[in-house]
Amino acid sequence: MDALERATGVARYAADWKKKDMLYARIITSTVPNGRVVEIDKSGASGTEGVVDVVTCFDDRTIWHAGEREHERRLFTDRVRFVGDCIGAVAARTRMAAQKGSEAVRARYEEYQATFTIESSLREGAPKVWDDGNVLKTRNYGYGDVEEAFGACSVIVEGEYETARVHNSQLEPAASLAWWEGDRLTVVAATQSIFGCRNGIARDLGIPADNVRVITKYKGGGFGNKADSMNYDLIAAILARRTGRPVMVEYSRSDEFTSVHGRWSSRQKLRLGCDQSGNVLALEVNAMCDIGAYTRRIKPFNFVDGAQSYYSCRAFRGEDAGVYTNTPATGHMRAPSGPQSCFASETIMDEAAFRLGIDPLQFRLRNMVRVAHNSETLTSNGLEECLRAGAEAFGWKERRNAGAVAAETSTGAGVAIAAWHSRLGRGEAAVSLTRDGRIVVRTGVVDIGTGAKTTMAVIASRNTGMPIESVDVEWGDTEGSPYSVGESGSRTTAFTGTAVKAASTALRGRILEKASGISGIAPGSLEIRNGAVLNAGRKLLAVEDVAETLESELVEKAATEPALPKGTERLSFAAHFAEVEVDSETGAVRVLKYVAAHDSGPIVNSLTATSQVHGGVIMGMGMALTEQLLISDYDGSVLNGSFMLYRLPNIKQTPDIQAIFINTDDPFGPKSLGEITLVPVAAAIGNAIFNATGVRLRRTPFTPERVAAGIEGKRSESLPGAR
Ligand code: MOS
């Protein structure tokens, strides 16, 4: 719907907004990893030309509730927990003055011992990130009797796996513009959820949600970095209240890497048991995750999650813990907990298949989930078709390396599967026919880059019978937009789309009644196709003609809230296939070909869905091959907080990626897609590297150094006389 605006630069992102007399703000952050701010000398900042206000942890005690799941996190904190923790902010007439002012603030700290790794946080007498300890236990979960099931296994594989800390790296950095009119606050935010943002701000400031208006017209990606309410939205609101002027808070790319959360790293121990014929009987996962100084992972979710949903096995047990360290906060990033979990479980499955001498594709076909968690009926399950159609399109048999490791480069193929939750919930929409014959869809979506606006328009077009060219979408403003769930958890199409469908269907009924009034033919004998009212296939009149007779806009509103019947589970599925080429000398890995087969239910818009798959696979390639947020062991700070040093995949490294959709029927309609697209990627690539080289990588990213070391290890193993 907005390709032209986005491509021509007309689209106004939050940072593009201008208000008369607006001020620019920069945050002031802690330079010590663990300690207490004793004193702040503002004079350098206040004396900086153009600076209007300096606020610190001693002036404002607002709590940012969404900032940490187990403890209170102050917006400006005097108890600092990592290098980059926010202790204040500066507002000034120009960006330059705000920047200079923030750099001129001097803070004196009482410094404590700090901890930067899981080991040091767990050590006896370790420095405390929080007074009540460094370990955040989450629930144990699982089903069946694991020990009994392992007892029946003839093959048991164990392994330890690690995933690195990575960052959302969405193109649009944080920006938030706020102003007050009396006791009413308006925030132009770069948020994934205008309603989540509004409710969070209202709660934190202690004002009614009705007094807060949030507007987001264009969004440059988020991937979980801007779900619910963010501290920079609050900072803008507080500075605007203090100065009586509009205030825009902006983050630089390095602020973004340091002061907004990324994805937590994981360390996982897995145990997998199979019987002689290769049936998986038991799986056990124990994980420790470095969650930084704060976790923005909401309750009650685990830090490693998902593996229990891919396979049918007799018993499963999972246990995980988040470990606090004096390093930047972690939190939601596209499929929170999924890629970590999938990497470990889909690697150990590959190891088991190899040990049993079973083709990894056949192993998955044999064991893939049919009854979820051994007790729940799946509303739909296209996983088998994903595996079969994906393998066919990929050329699985031809691309598998039969065992030849060539001198210079070798190629190989790998597969990995995944499942992801596909929730149902509240959606609202208003769809109307205007007097000039256009359809207007009003929804609370912001469109974080998934094409949500287009998706809503397509749903309205199909269900009203009007051409897509006649559909307009109004979106992204809590004043005027019906409620929509935040664009997180891959929920928008299922939640809000369901309401758009209901409202559009009702509107079509209303239009047919009106057309019946004009034509005298019963509504049941009429239909709308491509903007025309038809009877027995013959055009009677145009919908525009009906619209002309209206006294005012014809509006249909819908609020939907489908629920899953007890004992059922609703999941999306994927089977990913990767072909890699590995340079035996340097260890460099190139992905040659990639096929991603997805069951996300009926696909509404294959163009935007395909884009989701491409984006997710590229993001997964980053996790697999190049991305790692490097943390200093000296002070826990981020060492590579820029796109120069944090290595996102580039287009040259991106192979041909083929997306396949199974379009499985699901009684509740479209299932989730956005997040699952990246979940199996690292495992598929790692399994392909194993097939190419015989080197099993259990730690992401698969850097050339690690791959080369593995190949070197293999060589010495095969030397005569070795061991
Ligand atoms: Mo997402 S990580 O559910 O915004």
Side-chain angles (χ1 to χ4, degrees):
M1 295 298 284
D2 58 9
L4 190 66
E5 295 96 296
R6 288 196 194 249
T8 56
V10 171
R12 272 211 300 174
Y13 294 80
D16 295 323
W17 283 62
K18 295 274 182 294
K19 288 284 285 181
K20 194 169 155 6
D21 293 330
M22 69 185 267
L23 303 174
Y24 292 90
R26 295 290 181 270
I27 52 169
I28 308 164
T29 56
S30 168
T31 54
V32 307
N34 201 15
R36 186 171 293 282
V37 184
V38 177
E39 192 183 6
I40 294 183
D41 176 5
K42 298 180 181 183
S43 60
S46 318
T48 302
E49 162 94 37
V51 168
V52 174
D53 189 30
V54 183
V55 60
T56 73
C57 49
F58 299 118
D59 310 315
D60 188 289
R61 313 287 287 168
T62 304
I63 293 163
W64 175 29
H65 290 94
E68 151 67 21
R69 91 179 221 179
E70 299 290 317
H71 307 89
E72 270 185 5
R73 178 174 182 180
R74 289 197 192 281
L75 188 59
F76 307 114
T77 182
D78 62 331
R79 174 65 180 86
V80 294
R81 295 188 167 84
F82 70 98
V83 171
D85 219 351
C86 187
I87 61 170
V90 172
R93 280 192 288 276
T94 64
R95 294 183 157 110
M96 187 63 85
Q99 184 65 35
K100 275 193 183 156
S102 68
E103 286 163 12
V105 171
R106 292 284 166 267
R108 200 159 61 75
Y109 301 89
E110 182 190 345
E111 277 196 61
Y112 307 150
Q113 291 279 310
T115 162
F116 309 126
T117 62
I118 291 177
E119 292 80 48
S120 74
S121 282
L122 295 181
R123 215 169 278 152
E124 193 75 21
K128 280 184 173 168
V129 182
W130 293 93
D131 291 342
D132 60 347
N134 293 336
V135 180
L136 176 52
K137 281 240 186 269
T138 57
R139 67 201 155 105
N140 286 341
Y141 57 112
Y143 56 86
D145 183 338
V146 172
E147 289 318 319
E148 184 269 334
F150 273 114
C153 294
S154 44
V155 174
I156 292 177
V157 187
E158 293 183 62
E160 288 191 37
Y161 306 84
E162 279 184 45
T163 58
R165 191 187 285 220
V166 293
H167 201 267
N168 306 46
S169 303
Q170 78 292 335
L171 201 53
E172 180 192 26
S176 200
L177 169 65
W179 67 89
W180 293 81
E181 285 149 310
D183 60 357
R184 293 186 50 80
L185 170 69
T186 301
V187 182
V188 178
T191 182
Q192 294 174 223
S193 166
I194 50 175
F195 291 95
C197 184
R198 181 192 68 173
N199 296 344
I201 291 170
R203 178 185 181 195
D204 295 341
L205 294 183
I207 59 177
D210 284 344
N211 286 10
V212 183
R213 176 183 187 183
V214 174
I215 303 170
T216 302
K217 284 300 180 185
Y218 292 91
K219 186 77 209 64
F223 309 118
N225 223 331
K226 296 160 181 174
D228 56 53
S229 75
M230 295 300 293
N231 54 345
Y232 43 82
D233 302 318
L234 270 180
I235 294 171
I238 285 168
L239 284 169
R241 191 168 57 190
R242 288 167 58 94
T243 60
R245 292 166 67 166
V247 174
M248 166 104 69
V249 174
E250 297 168 310
Y251 275 22
S252 66
R253 183 57 60 184
S254 66
D255 289 336
E256 191 63 53
F257 272 110
T258 296
S259 298
V260 189
H261 63 262
R263 193 195 295 286
W264 55 87
S265 61
S266 77
R267 246 181 238 182
Q268 305 174 56
K269 280 190 187 153
L270 270 68
R271 187 155 69 117
L272 169 68
C274 301
D275 68 13
Q276 201 60 53
S277 29
N279 297 306
V280 174
L281 300 185
L283 178 63
E284 187 177 40
V285 179
N286 280 285
M288 289 276 190
C289 299
D290 174 359
I291 56 174
Y294 303 93
T295 175
R296 305 200 61 246
R297 174 70 163 147
I298 56 169
K299 277 180 180 175
F301 298 112
N302 283 36
F303 292 106
V304 167
D305 208 359
Q308 69 276 24
S309 302
Y310 317 159
Y311 290 91
S312 289
C313 68
R314 213 188 276 180
F316 173 88
R317 184 165 62 210
E319 192 180 6
D320 64 22
V323 180
Y324 287 112
T325 57
N326 293 114
T327 65
T330 65
H332 291 164
M333 175 175 164
R334 197 174 194 167
S337 76
Q340 295 100 317
S341 175
C342 188
F343 169 63
S345 70
E346 277 300 87
T347 306
I348 202 167
M349 291 293 169
D350 220 61
E351 296 184 53
F354 183 75
R355 180 89 73 85
L356 287 153
I358 302 176
D359 175 90
L361 174 66
Q362 294 308 321
F363 184 81
R364 286 170 174 83
L365 282 166
R366 170 189 288 264
N367 285 297
M368 57 156 266
V369 63
R370 288 186 172 83
V371 176
H373 315 123
N374 255 5
S375 61
E376 294 147 338
T377 310
L378 285 157
T379 56
S380 57
N381 181 358
L383 183 53
E384 181 169 350
E385 278 174 275
C386 287
L387 279 162
R388 293 195 191 282
E392 168 85 34
F394 179 77
W396 175 252
K397 283 218 178 77
E398 306 85 80
R399 289 181 202 278
R400 283 288 286 177
N401 184 325
V405 177
E408 287 171 6
T409 59
S410 31
T411 63
V415 60
I417 60 175
W420 196 245
H421 56 72
S422 199
R423 301 202 178 95
L424 296 168
R426 186 159 184 82
E428 290 181 21
V431 182
S432 52
L433 176 68
T434 65
R435 292 187 61 212
D436 48 5
R438 296 193 66 79
I439 298 292
V440 180
V441 182
R442 293 185 179 87
T443 69
V445 301
V446 296
D447 198 345
I448 60 172
T450 57
K453 277 182 282 188
T454 306
T455 303
M456 298 307 134
V458 168
I459 293 172
S461 164
R462 284 195 192 139
N463 292 286
T464 53
M466 296 292 283
I468 187 91
E469 295 77 19
S470 303
V471 181
D472 299 314
V473 179
E474 288 181 10
W475 76 97
D477 187 340
T478 54
E479 224 146 83
S481 300
Y483 166 82
S484 177
V485 68
E487 274 160 67
S488 55
S490 306
R491 297 176 293 178
T492 310
T493 305
F495 285 37
T496 306
T498 298
V500 172
K501 182 176 177 179
S504 306
T505 306
L507 181 66
R508 187 188 53 203
R510 293 276 301 282
I511 298 171
L512 288 179
E513 276 169 26
K514 300 268 177 202
S516 163
I518 298 169
S519 64
I521 299 174
S525 306
L526 299 175
E527 57 176 333
I528 305 175
R529 251 192 258 158
N530 204 25
V533 180
L534 310 180
N535 170 238
R538 306 246 312 259
K539 180 174 171 178
L540 282 183
L541 67 168
V543 171
E544 277 181 11
D545 302 331
V546 179
E548 262 179 19
T549 68
L550 297 173
E551 274 165 29
S552 60
E553 199 171 285
L554 199 56
V555 187
E556 278 296 327
K557 291 181 184 165
T560 47
E561 194 159 8
L564 267 189
K566 261 209 156 36
T568 58
E569 172 66 299
R570 190 165 184 263
L571 299 170
S572 288
F573 295 100
H576 282 199
F577 298 81
E579 183 185 30
V580 299
E581 180 187 79
V582 183
D583 184 314
S584 313
E585 196 176 345
T586 65
V589 175
R590 202 151 66 89
V591 181
L592 300 177
K593 184 180 174 69
Y594 204 96
V595 172
H598 283 263
D599 162 23
S600 287
I603 294 296
V604 176
N605 182 347
S606 62
L607 175 70
T608 50
T610 300
S611 294
Q612 282 294 295
V613 174
H614 289 172
V617 171
I618 294 168
M619 207 170 205
M621 277 179 52
M623 170 187 172
L625 298 172
T626 56
E627 289 182 43
Q628 175 162 20
L629 201 64
L630 297 170
I631 302 293
S632 157
D633 27 347
Y634 169 68
D635 65 0
S637 62
V638 172
L639 293 173
N640 58 342
S642 84
F643 283 157
M644 285 276 286
L645 299 169
Y646 183 87
R647 300 280 307 280
L648 293 173
N650 61 34
I651 197 66
K652 198 177 162 195
Q653 295 160 321
T654 304
D656 171 49
I657 301 166
Q658 186 184 351
I660 295 173
F661 296 109
I662 303 303
N663 278 298
T664 320
D665 247 345
D666 186 277
F668 299 97
K671 300 195 283 186
S672 62
L673 175 64
E675 293 172 297
I676 191 175
T677 54
L678 88 74
V679 173
V681 181
I685 292 174
N687 292 343
I689 295 172
F690 177 74
N691 181 235
T693 61
V695 174
R696 182 58 75 184
L697 295 160
R698 298 186 181 87
R699 210 172 148 198
T700 66
F702 315 136
T703 57
E705 291 84 346
R706 287 176 184 167
V707 177
I711 293 171
E712 197 50 43
K714 278 259 138 201
R715 281 206 185 114
S716 47
E717 257 176 44
S718 57
L719 283 179
R723 270 208 288 173

